[in-house]
Amino acid sequence: MTQLVAPPERFNFAQWLFTLNAGRGGKPAYLDDGGTLNYAQLEAQSRRFAAALYKLGVHREERVLIAMLDCREWPIAYLGCLYAGVVPVCVNTLLPANEYAHMIDHSRSQAVFTSPALLEKVQEALGESAAKTLPTIVTGSKVAKPCVRFDDFLDVAPLAAAADTYADDIAFWLYSSGSTGRPKAVVHSHGNLYWTNETYGKNVLKLREDDVVFSAAKFFFAYGFGNAVTFPLAVGATVVVMAERPTPAAIFKRLTERKVTVYYGVPTLFASMLADPAIPPRSAVALRLCTSAGEPLPEQIGLRFKEHFGADILDGIGSTEMLHIFICNRAEDVRYGTTGTPVPGYEISLRDEDGKPVADGEIGDLYIKGPSAPLMYWRDTARSRATFQGVWTKAGDKYLRDAQGYYVYCGRSDDMLKVSGQYVSPAEVEATLVGNDAVLEAAVIGVENAQGLMRTKAFVVLKQGVEGSEALRQQLHDYVKTQLTPHKAPKQLEFVAELPKTATGKIQRFRLRERERAKPAA
């Protein structure tokens, strides 16, 4: 039985990390395309950031929005907030302006920190929000007024001491999309950050001080955040940071040039890497371990990757709610095709629709009990009560446990899909498609590609007089990409004369799935 050590009652996560790394001042903490940030600079600049927040007029427990591409400034801003007792709201950099506007208003953010590439979208969001204007601090060398350059913002004396926070104090927010309505704001404490390291970090990942780590998943994901902040900083490792989109070419460049030892990916990227003709040989990389999350890793992808690179992929499942992974394979016990076993510190329960435990081999709803569960969904009592049931968190996933005690993913409990590691609501995509003048009705399902990865497919009924064509298919795909986060746009789109429905007019999506499964393999 693994013995877990709780944090002290008074606990500031940023100060805890700085204390752990007190003797590593000159060691690189972050490497990006612009240069290096060592551990001494990370602490000093984070403490300056904390002081600058107070100078700006932001108070303890107030929120600020971080809509920033991955760069050295991201952890400075995040840890600076925590050091000051201010609450960073870390948001997806791919969201449209109207979603940012909602998040600014919902969180009552007092300032926005962003990147030059996102500034126009942030300014549009501010124009749509109730705030209208907020102090906006931008990374980069050229920043036009009234925005403030990030380096100029840091031009203050460092805050002398960390805010006297408690382990149960609110540390930060992440937004998690639900099946209906607006995204949910998941509220995490300083203690939760500690607990993910105490459980998954120490017992599964087991990073070393000499590791060089690289996460394709971005900082704003719970998965990416743990990968690139919590776990490496807790042992004094070095983190490679990349602002650009994680294409195979971009990933290969970092793996080979930076000699990455631990790479964190998602199944779609592992599949793309293996399919790329420019894949480097094993001798060109230094990989010793990889991890995967976001969607199930197909067994063949894991086996082929291990054969090529000699490094296992530890597939696991986590959530924004639980902050990181709670079921996972182990380096000493990898079973591809399963999600592995519970991470020490977490208990798993699979239950039927009546809430009763199911037997091994039977599918049940996934419930998790563990120390990193969030405090709440902000200002959302109904969904908080539905998800956080006493000490248990209902995940919304279907699982079974096999006779050997390994957990096997069976799908979402509702119509939610996971594409490229991110949730997609068919209803949201359908509503967007119907918003186009050419579309009468739409239904969206998930289909697996040749690699076993989930992709969205839309079935569209056009309005009378509108003819289906390849040009219209591309137009509708592009339309969805402009209205929603790009990964939600259907990879396939089929024009149909009608959709299968019940007598009461409800679309029968399961019949569309059956139709797809019945098609002969390409």
Side-chain angles (χ1 to χ4, degrees), residues 318-397:
S319 67
T320 306
E321 284 77 6
M322 298 305 291
L323 192 52
H324 213 270
I325 290 170
F326 46 81
I327 304 176
C328 193
N329 283 271
R330 310 291 200 277
E332 65 278 4
D333 184 20
V334 176
R335 185 166 297 198
Y336 290 116
T338 80
T339 313
T341 55
V343 171
Y346 294 92
E347 294 181 36
I348 304 300
S349 176
L350 301 182
R351 306 177 188 177
D352 62 20
E353 293 180 355
D354 297 321
K356 298 178 181 177
V358 300
D360 284 352
E362 294 183 5
I363 296 174
D365 288 310
L366 177 66
Y367 288 76
I368 313 104
K369 176 184 176 183
S372 63
L375 301 175
M376 70 185 99
Y377 293 135
W378 184 263
R379 218 168 67 205
D380 199 337
T381 302
R383 288 196 287 186
S384 291
R385 288 175 176 170
T387 301
F388 312 121
Q389 302 178 14
V391 296
W392 293 94
T393 297
K394 185 176 182 180
D397 295 287

Side-chain angles (χ1 to χ4, degrees), residues 403-424:
Q404 290 74 44
Y406 294 87
Y407 286 77
V408 180
Y409 180 79
C410 300
R412 290 290 294 166
S413 301
D414 49 24
D415 281 332
M416 291 289 285
L417 305 171
K418 263 193 173 180
V419 178
S420 299
Q422 301 182 65
Y423 288 120
V424 176

